[in-house]
Every structure is written in structure tokens, then in C-alpha cells.
Amino acid sequence: MRKLFLGRSPKWFKITILIFLLINPIVYFTLGGTVVAWLFIAEFIFTLAMALKCYPLQSGGLLAIEVLLLGLTTPENAYKEVSANLEVLLLLVFMVAGIYFMKPLLMYIFSKIFIRVKSKLVLSILFISLSAILSAFLDALTVMAVLISISVGFYGVYHKIHSSAEDYNQDGILDRKELSGETFQQFKSFLRSLIMHGAVGTALGGVSTLVGEPQNLLIGERLGWNFADFFIQMAPITIPVFFCGVLTTVVLELTGWFGFGTPLPPIARQIIEGYVKEEDLNRTYRDKVNLRVQGLAAILLVLSLALHLAPVGFIGLGLLVFQTAFLGITEEHALGNAFEEALPFTSLLVVFFIIVAMIHDQHLFAPVIDWALKQDFEQQPQLFYLANGLLSAISDNVFVATVYIGEIEQAFQQGVIDRPHFEKLAIAVNTGTNLPSVATPNGQAAFLFLLTSSLAPLIGLSYGKMVKMVIPYTIVLGLVGWMLIRLM
């Protein structure tokens, strides 16, 4: 039983989880629900931080079960949290599966980009800018799913060459020897820095528009803003922050600080170029037809998302059906592979919503909200911005935005604040939950998705590594956003 519990996780981790499970009831019955609820939050964040030691679904799931057993929330309230975020869950299940069948096209496009764009600086700017633009018109999780697929595919190309007995650059030395050791570590660092630039880009774009993040829709609905209204209201903050984010990318790539700046090793570039040329020569007519079908599917995807023809999850399901129908993929086991990437994270997100339900039922954030509303009107926007950023970093930005915008709307309806002040506070809530929350993976769903994806262990991207790499972005985006809120 000792060996089976949490599988291959380190012994110290297993003991730690057991200690958590034992002390939580003691704390609950001696110090009360509020204290143990904060303890549960710290423990859950710990399980996320140890994602490379043990997938958080099991360790975090045991904590969530204990939360329900102790009555810190109810199954009904947890179900309400899940229901409120059903669109996010459908997105993860179906959009990620749909993108799975688009991988050959993504690999074809991005392998060309990786080879032709020699400068790591230009490539990094391209990643953060494209991620931001796509996230503004699509949504951050979809863009992150695409980035993960591209990176896993590119890693797969490297690993395939590394495991073969080929000599694609024709220098008389087997490629696997040239791609081992330090070259392999540099390649992982190269991929790691690119994916983190892209992740930050999803936050920069996601904050700007009505559809970028789930909470944006909620805020826009409460204020009666359409797509254009939302963009115009946020632009004085989001556009300068975007350019500051890109400037931060330039500085990080030029200095090599915080784990950035590693270029693609020259020998790796030569070998991958040789591999891509050989793949182009060996591409059959059927392969080309498949790429055209995937290209048409990509166009339909972008149009459907940009025009908001249906909930994102439904569009993902449509993408899945269209591609598999016209690519001739009709066997159940072939379809099953497409769902392997997203379902573990979807399950983890449901566990996360149980913790969020506990935060709501125990009113853990109520004192902060009450304090902020009692402050001077001129100080409120910046205080709301800071409070939302801090709370989003330790819990969930959608939940924090939901709680805050509800309280602000109530104050407006009661005549405590006027419409212009209501709008200022809404802008502070939106930017606060989207910008400083990049500080931790649990602050942004896209970051959490990256941390728990199959890519993270391949490139050595742990919770601690992610937190370290986003420190400069957190400081720059957080401070610039705060200063602009103050000037608003």
C-alpha cells in the first residue's frame, strides 16, 4: 500500500500529503473553518508546485475530497462553480482534440518559421505578438493549446532525429551524437523560453477584448459593453502594457536574464533543416491533400471564433468532426488519442473549482473587498487593481473577477457609486485579474494548462521555473498597469 500510494512520487512527497490530510481536520475542529480553508489553499498550491513529482489531480483531488467531507463547501456549490465554467471545460475537451488533428499543418508552418527566422530575438517577438493578437480575437486557452501542440511537435522532431541513426546534415557524424548533452539542454532552454514568451502573450491579448478571457465576458455583460466598447475602454491601459511587454521580451532576450536568451544551437538548426528538406521530398500526394484539408479547417476555425458563431467548445467539436470526416479518420481508437492531452487537465480544473467553491463559501476574500470599498473614491481603482492581482495569483482570476464585479455592481445599484466610477472599477478589476495574475501558474488557466501539459516535463518547466521566468513580466506588466490605473 505504501508503494502504490501516489505511485512513483518521492517518499517525502507522499508523507507530506498524508500529514496534510491528517492535520487538516485537527485544525478545522480547533481553529475553525476560515483558518483551515487558507491552509487548504496553501496545500493545493503546493501540489501544483510539485506537478513534475506527481500530477496534481491525485494529490490535489484528495485535498478536495477532504474539503467536501469537512463541509467547507457542498457538492451543490461545487457543481455551481463547474456549471458557471462549463464553457471553459468544453473548450478544453473539444478544442484541444480538434487541434490534435491539425498538428501536421502546424508543424509544417512552424518548422518553416523556425528555420527561416534565424534571430532568436525576432522569433521571441513574433511569439509574444502573435499570441497576444490571437488571444484577443480567439481566447487564451485555445492559443495556449496551439502553442503546446507546436512545441510538442517540434520537440518530437528533435527526439526522432536524436533517436535515429541518420546524418541529415551530412557531416559524417551521426546526428544523435551531435544532438546529445549540452546541445540537448540548450534546445530545451530554447523551447522553454519561447513557450513562456507565448504564454505571457496570451495574457497581454486576453486582457484587451471581450472574448480574450472568460471573466471579460462577465464584466462586459454587467457593464453593457459590446466588443468595440470593451476594447476602447481597456485600450488606454492594455495597449501601453502590450508594448511594455514586448520591450521586456527584447531586454530578456538580449541580456539572457531569468532563463531567457538561449538560441537554437547551430548544429541543431542544420540537422533540423536537413530533416525538413527530406520530409518535403518524401511528402506524398495524400499528405498534401491532408494539409489542404487542415488549412481549410484552420480558416473555418479562425472565422468561427472571430465571428463568435457558437461557444468555443462547440466550435472545437465542429473542427474535430470536419477534420476527421474529410481526413478519413473513423476508428474509435484513433479518435481517443486526441482526447488524451486535455482530459487530465479538465479533471484537475474540476478539482480546482471545488477549492474555489470553498473560498466562496468561507468568504475568504470578503474582508479585502469590504476594506477596498470603504477607501477614498480616488484610491479605489488602484486598490481594486492590486487586490484583484494578488488574490488572482493565489486562487483563480475568473472567480476573483466574478466576486468583485458582483460587489461593485451591487454598490452601483444601491447608489453608492455613479456610472463613471463603476466603469473605472470594472476596468481595474479586469486589468487586475489579467495582468499581475501572471505571477503564478494558478493565476491564469492558460498557465496552469501549460504547467500540467505533456510538454512541461519534456522541457523541464516546473512550477518554480515558471514563477522565476515570469518575475520580470509580473513586475513590468503589474507596475505599468497600476500606474495607468492611477492616471485614469
Side-chain angles (χ1 to χ4, degrees), residues 314-372:
F314 285 7
I315 293 172
L317 179 58
L319 177 70
L320 172 68
V321 172
F322 178 85
Q323 287 187 105
T324 52
F326 287 95
L327 293 174
I329 301 169
T330 55
E331 296 81 12
E332 186 180 357
H333 71 273
L335 293 171
N337 294 332
F339 292 92
E340 289 179 359
E341 176 72 29
L343 284 182
F345 179 68
T346 307
S347 305
L348 174 62
L349 212 54
V350 173
V351 168
F352 185 62
F353 290 140
I354 296 172
I355 303 298
V356 170
M358 176 198 71
I359 293 171
H360 188 269
D361 286 1
Q362 297 302 313
H363 309 289
L364 298 186
F365 295 165
V368 182
I369 298 170
D370 294 340
W371 172 79

Side-chain angles (χ1 to χ4, degrees), residues 98-108 286-301 319 322-323 326-327 329:
I99 289 169
Y100 174 86
F101 292 105
M102 208 182 281
K103 278 185 179 179
L105 176 68
L106 294 172
M107 280 310 304
Y108 175 78
R286 179 169 180 171
D287 292 335
K288 292 175 183 177
V289 171
N290 287 350
L291 287 176
R292 287 170 191 152
V293 170
Q294 291 160 18
L296 179 58
I299 293 169
L300 293 174
L301 170 65
L319 177 70
F322 178 85
Q323 287 187 105
F326 287 95
L327 293 174
I329 301 169

Side-chain angles (χ1 to χ4, degrees), residues 29 40 59 65 80 85 89 102 140 162 197 262 276 330 334 359 368 389-390 446 448 456 475 479 484:
F29 289 112
F40 268 113
S59 50
I65 291 169
K80 285 178 185 175
N85 291 278
L89 298 177
M102 208 182 281
H162 185 256
H197 288 314
T262 307
V276 170
T330 55
I359 293 171
V368 182
L390 176 64
L448 190 60
I475 293 170
L479 282 177
L484 291 170

